[in-house]
Amino acid sequence: MATSGTTSFNMDFPEIAEEAWERAGREMRSGYDLRTARRSMNLLTIEWANRGINLWTIKEATSVALTKGTTQYTLASDVIDVIEQNIRTNDGVQAQQNDLPLTRVSVSTYSSLPNKLTQGRPSQIFIERGTAAPKLYVWPVPDKNTYKLNYWRLRRIEDAGQGSYTADMPFRFLPCLVAGLAYYIAMKTPELSDRVVMLKQMYDEQFEMASSEDRSKVSARFVPRIGYP
Protein backbone atom coordinates (compact mmCIF):
# COMPACT_ATOMS: atom_id res chain seq x y z
CA MET A 1 0.00 0.00 0.00
CA ALA A 2 1.38 3.40 -0.98
CA THR A 3 1.96 6.02 1.70
CA SER A 4 2.51 9.75 1.43
CA GLY A 5 6.26 9.52 1.95
CA THR A 6 6.24 12.77 3.94
CA THR A 7 6.47 13.56 7.65
CA SER A 8 6.04 17.32 7.55
CA PHE A 9 2.51 17.81 8.90
CA ASN A 10 2.09 21.04 10.81
CA MET A 11 -0.69 23.54 11.47
CA ASP A 12 -0.73 27.30 11.10
CA PHE A 13 -2.57 29.42 13.63
CA PRO A 14 -5.95 29.65 11.79
CA GLU A 15 -6.01 25.84 11.50
CA ILE A 16 -5.18 25.45 15.19
CA ALA A 17 -7.95 27.89 16.15
CA GLU A 18 -10.46 26.24 13.80
CA GLU A 19 -9.73 22.77 15.19
CA ALA A 20 -10.01 24.06 18.76
CA TRP A 21 -13.36 25.73 18.12
CA GLU A 22 -14.72 22.54 16.53
CA ARG A 23 -13.56 20.45 19.49
CA ALA A 24 -15.23 22.94 21.79
CA GLY A 25 -18.48 22.30 19.93
CA ARG A 26 -18.85 25.19 17.52
CA GLU A 27 -17.50 26.43 14.20
CA MET A 28 -15.23 29.46 14.09
CA ARG A 29 -17.47 32.14 12.60
CA SER A 30 -15.82 35.52 12.74
CA GLY A 31 -12.61 37.47 13.02
CA TYR A 32 -13.35 37.96 16.69
CA ASP A 33 -13.42 34.18 17.20
CA LEU A 34 -9.91 34.04 15.73
CA ARG A 35 -8.73 36.98 17.85
CA THR A 36 -10.07 35.57 21.11
CA ALA A 37 -8.49 32.19 20.29
CA ARG A 38 -5.13 33.89 19.74
CA ARG A 39 -5.40 35.62 23.11
CA SER A 40 -6.25 32.32 24.81
CA MET A 41 -3.34 30.57 23.09
CA ASN A 42 -0.90 33.15 24.46
CA LEU A 43 -2.27 32.61 27.97
CA LEU A 44 -2.05 28.85 27.48
CA THR A 45 1.65 28.92 26.56
CA ILE A 46 2.34 31.10 29.62
CA GLU A 47 0.63 28.40 31.69
CA TRP A 48 3.00 25.83 30.18
CA ALA A 49 6.00 27.92 31.24
CA ASN A 50 4.61 28.00 34.80
CA ARG A 51 4.14 24.23 34.82
CA GLY A 52 7.87 23.57 34.43
CA ILE A 53 10.63 23.05 31.90
CA ASN A 54 9.77 22.69 28.22
CA LEU A 55 12.88 21.23 26.57
CA TRP A 56 12.53 23.10 23.29
CA THR A 57 12.70 26.42 25.15
CA ILE A 58 16.13 25.68 26.67
CA LYS A 59 18.73 27.75 24.85
CA GLU A 60 22.38 28.53 25.41
CA ALA A 61 22.82 32.27 25.82
CA THR A 62 25.53 34.30 24.14
CA SER A 63 28.49 34.76 26.44
CA VAL A 64 28.14 37.86 28.60
CA ALA A 65 31.40 39.76 29.01
CA LEU A 66 31.81 40.75 32.64
CA THR A 67 33.17 44.19 33.44
CA LYS A 68 35.62 44.89 36.21
CA GLY A 69 33.86 46.34 39.25
CA THR A 70 30.32 45.77 37.85
CA THR A 71 27.95 43.73 40.01
CA GLN A 72 24.64 43.76 38.10
CA TYR A 73 23.83 42.58 34.55
CA THR A 74 20.45 42.65 32.80
CA LEU A 75 19.52 39.51 30.86
CA ALA A 76 17.45 39.29 27.67
CA SER A 77 13.77 40.17 28.00
CA ASP A 78 12.62 36.68 26.89
CA VAL A 79 14.49 34.91 29.71
CA ILE A 80 12.18 33.12 32.15
CA ASP A 81 14.95 31.67 34.27
CA VAL A 82 18.57 30.51 34.23
CA ILE A 83 19.08 26.77 34.75
CA GLU A 84 22.86 26.34 34.39
CA GLN A 85 25.69 28.85 34.62
CA ASN A 86 29.48 29.00 34.60
CA ILE A 87 32.30 31.51 34.44
CA ARG A 88 34.82 31.25 31.58
CA THR A 89 38.44 32.20 32.01
CA ASN A 90 41.02 32.70 29.24
CA ASP A 91 38.30 32.75 26.58
CA GLY A 92 39.59 31.62 23.18
CA VAL A 93 43.03 30.60 24.44
CA GLN A 94 43.63 26.99 23.46
CA ALA A 95 44.58 24.66 26.32
CA GLN A 96 43.94 27.47 28.83
CA GLN A 97 40.21 28.14 28.46
CA ASN A 98 38.25 26.87 31.44
CA ASP A 99 34.54 26.87 32.32
CA LEU A 100 34.12 26.92 36.09
CA PRO A 101 30.73 26.38 37.76
CA LEU A 102 28.92 29.23 39.50
CA THR A 103 26.75 28.60 42.54
CA ARG A 104 23.30 30.18 42.44
CA VAL A 105 22.27 31.60 45.80
CA SER A 106 18.99 32.84 47.24
CA VAL A 107 18.11 36.45 47.99
CA SER A 108 18.65 35.82 51.70
CA THR A 109 22.15 34.42 51.10
CA TYR A 110 23.09 37.28 48.79
CA SER A 111 21.69 39.94 51.12
CA SER A 112 23.70 38.49 54.02
CA LEU A 113 27.05 38.98 52.26
CA PRO A 114 28.96 41.45 54.45
CA ASN A 115 30.74 43.18 51.55
CA LYS A 116 29.07 42.97 48.17
CA LEU A 117 31.89 45.00 46.55
CA THR A 118 34.61 42.42 47.25
CA GLN A 119 36.52 41.85 44.01
CA GLY A 120 37.85 38.56 42.66
CA ARG A 121 36.83 35.73 40.33
CA PRO A 122 33.02 35.41 40.59
CA SER A 123 31.84 32.21 42.25
CA GLN A 124 28.18 32.97 43.08
CA ILE A 125 25.22 34.51 41.31
CA PHE A 126 21.85 35.79 42.47
CA ILE A 127 19.05 36.25 39.93
CA GLU A 128 16.35 38.83 40.54
CA ARG A 129 13.19 37.86 38.67
CA GLY A 130 11.01 40.95 38.52
CA THR A 131 8.29 42.16 36.15
CA ALA A 132 10.81 43.16 33.48
CA ALA A 133 13.95 41.38 32.25
CA PRO A 134 15.72 39.34 34.95
CA LYS A 135 18.78 40.88 36.58
CA LEU A 136 21.84 38.88 37.51
CA TYR A 137 24.22 39.79 40.35
CA VAL A 138 27.70 38.25 40.60
CA TRP A 139 29.90 37.87 43.66
CA PRO A 140 32.73 38.49 44.13
CA VAL A 141 32.61 41.45 41.77
CA PRO A 142 34.90 40.84 38.75
CA ASP A 143 38.45 42.02 39.38
CA LYS A 144 39.29 42.17 35.66
CA ASN A 145 37.60 42.38 32.25
CA THR A 146 38.54 38.92 30.93
CA TYR A 147 35.76 36.85 32.50
CA LYS A 148 32.77 35.69 30.49
CA LEU A 149 29.48 34.42 31.86
CA ASN A 150 27.91 31.48 30.04
CA TYR A 151 24.44 30.25 30.90
CA TRP A 152 21.57 28.12 29.69
CA ARG A 153 18.20 29.81 29.87
CA LEU A 154 14.53 29.00 29.69
CA ARG A 155 13.02 31.36 27.14
CA ARG A 156 9.44 32.42 26.64
CA ILE A 157 7.39 30.64 23.97
CA GLU A 158 6.89 33.07 21.10
CA ASP A 159 3.54 34.85 20.88
CA ALA A 160 0.75 33.58 18.66
CA GLY A 161 0.92 35.48 15.40
CA GLN A 162 -1.45 36.13 12.54
CA GLY A 163 -1.92 34.62 9.10
CA SER A 164 0.22 31.57 8.38
CA TYR A 165 2.01 31.71 11.73
CA THR A 166 3.17 28.27 12.91
CA ALA A 167 3.19 27.50 16.63
CA ASP A 168 6.57 27.89 18.35
CA MET A 169 6.74 24.30 19.55
CA PRO A 170 7.57 20.80 18.26
CA PHE A 171 4.89 18.82 16.43
CA ARG A 172 4.50 16.45 19.39
CA PHE A 173 2.83 19.23 21.39
CA LEU A 174 0.19 20.07 18.76
CA PRO A 175 -2.50 17.70 20.19
CA CYS A 176 -1.94 19.22 23.64
CA LEU A 177 -2.11 22.75 22.22
CA VAL A 178 -5.40 22.11 20.42
CA ALA A 179 -6.92 20.35 23.44
CA GLY A 180 -5.87 23.14 25.79
CA LEU A 181 -7.12 25.86 23.46
CA ALA A 182 -10.50 24.12 23.10
CA TYR A 183 -10.77 24.02 26.90
CA TYR A 184 -9.86 27.70 27.24
CA ILE A 185 -12.40 28.65 24.54
CA ALA A 186 -15.20 26.64 26.18
CA MET A 187 -14.51 28.24 29.57
CA LYS A 188 -15.34 31.71 28.23
CA THR A 189 -18.18 30.78 25.84
CA PRO A 190 -21.48 30.40 27.78
CA GLU A 191 -23.17 28.08 25.27
CA LEU A 192 -20.22 25.65 25.50
CA SER A 193 -20.03 25.50 29.30
CA ASP A 194 -21.47 21.96 29.43
CA ARG A 195 -18.34 20.68 27.63
CA VAL A 196 -15.79 22.29 29.97
CA VAL A 197 -15.29 19.27 32.25
CA MET A 198 -14.80 16.87 29.34
CA LEU A 199 -12.40 19.23 27.55
CA LYS A 200 -10.43 19.77 30.75
CA GLN A 201 -9.97 16.01 31.15
CA MET A 202 -8.84 15.68 27.55
CA TYR A 203 -6.41 18.58 27.95
CA ASP A 204 -4.92 17.11 31.14
CA GLU A 205 -4.42 13.75 29.42
CA GLN A 206 -2.77 15.33 26.39
CA PHE A 207 -0.50 17.50 28.54
CA GLU A 208 0.54 14.49 30.64
CA MET A 209 1.45 12.53 27.51
CA ALA A 210 3.36 15.43 25.95
CA SER A 211 5.24 16.44 29.09
CA SER A 212 6.20 12.85 29.96
CA GLU A 213 7.72 12.46 26.48
CA ASP A 214 9.41 15.88 26.61
CA ARG A 215 12.23 14.92 28.94
CA SER A 216 15.96 14.30 28.89
CA LYS A 217 16.56 10.66 28.07
CA VAL A 218 19.96 10.12 29.61
CA SER A 219 21.51 7.35 31.64
CA ALA A 220 21.23 7.63 35.42
CA ARG A 221 23.54 6.03 37.94
CA PHE A 222 22.64 5.72 41.61
CA VAL A 223 25.37 5.02 44.13
CA PRO A 224 24.33 4.07 47.67
CA ARG A 225 25.87 6.06 50.47
CA ILE A 226 26.97 3.86 53.36
CA GLY A 227 27.46 5.50 56.73
CA TYR A 228 29.37 4.20 59.69
CA PRO A 229 28.64 5.01 63.32
Side-chain angles (χ1 to χ4, degrees):
M1 181 181 294
T3 59
S4 68
T6 64
T7 55
S8 58
F9 172 77
N10 209 333
M11 302 170 71
D12 60 25
F13 178 67
E15 289 177 315
I16 293 169
E18 187 175 27
E19 178 70 14
W21 270 106
E22 290 174 354
R23 287 197 187 190
R26 208 197 78 188
E27 291 183 357
M28 187 170 65
R29 301 169 181 167
S30 65
Y32 177 77
D33 286 349
L34 185 64
R35 186 172 66 185
T36 192
R38 183 168 60 248
R39 183 169 63 245
S40 291
M41 180 172 164
N42 284 326
L43 291 171
L44 180 64
T45 55
I46 292 172
E47 178 200 322
W48 289 3
N50 290 333
R51 281 180 180 244
I53 294 175
N54 299 301
L55 290 187
W56 79 90
T57 65
I58 298 176
K59 300 293 182 182
E60 185 177 14
T62 303
S63 295
V64 177
L66 302 185
T67 304
K68 179 180 178 180
T70 302
T71 302
Q72 176 185 301
Y73 301 84
T74 301
L75 305 181
S77 59
D78 69 340
V79 174
I80 295 175
D81 201 1
V82 175
I83 57 175
E84 296 289 344
Q85 61 281 325
N86 61 65
I87 194 81
R88 176 169 293 175
T89 60
N90 301 313
D91 183 49
V93 181
Q94 189 174 7
Q96 295 184 30
Q97 176 176 298
N98 286 297
D99 288 346
L100 305 172
L102 288 169
T103 301
R104 181 169 175 176
V105 300
S106 65
V107 61
S108 59
T109 300
Y110 183 77
S111 65
S112 65
L113 294 172
N115 186 351
K116 297 178 178 60
L117 299 180
T118 299
Q119 293 196 7
R121 177 175 62 81
S123 61
Q124 298 181 353
I125 64 167
F126 161 62
I127 298 175
E128 177 186 314
R129 300 174 65 195
T131 56
K135 295 179 181 178
L136 183 145
Y137 298 79
V138 296
W139 188 87
V141 180
D143 58 350
K144 50 188 176 182
N145 294 323
T146 57
Y147 300 119
K148 285 194 173 180
L149 173 71
N150 299 314
Y151 64 93
W152 289 82
R153 63 189 173 96
L154 290 177
R155 66 165 178 84
R156 288 185 60 167
I157 299 173
E158 293 181 10
D159 300 336
Q162 303 185 42
S164 59
Y165 160 86
T166 302
D168 176 29
M169 63 194 64
F171 72 93
R172 61 183 180 272
F173 264 81
L174 285 176
C176 178
L177 174 64
V178 172
L181 187 54
Y183 164 58
Y184 271 47
I185 287 172
M187 279 198 299
K188 60 183 181 180
T189 309
E191 63 266 30
L192 303 176
S193 60
D194 60 328
R195 299 174 65 88
V196 168
V197 174
M198 177 195 69
L199 292 170
K200 176 67 163 58
Q201 292 174 341
M202 294 177 63
Y203 169 46
D204 287 341
E205 290 175 3
Q206 289 291 342
F207 187 87
E208 178 61 28
M209 284 192 290
S211 61
S212 62
E213 196 282 334
D214 191 51
R215 65 188 189 279
S216 296
K217 300 174 182 177
V218 297
S219 300
R221 182 170 177 239
F222 299 92
V223 180
R225 181 178 179 179
I226 302 175
Y228 297 92

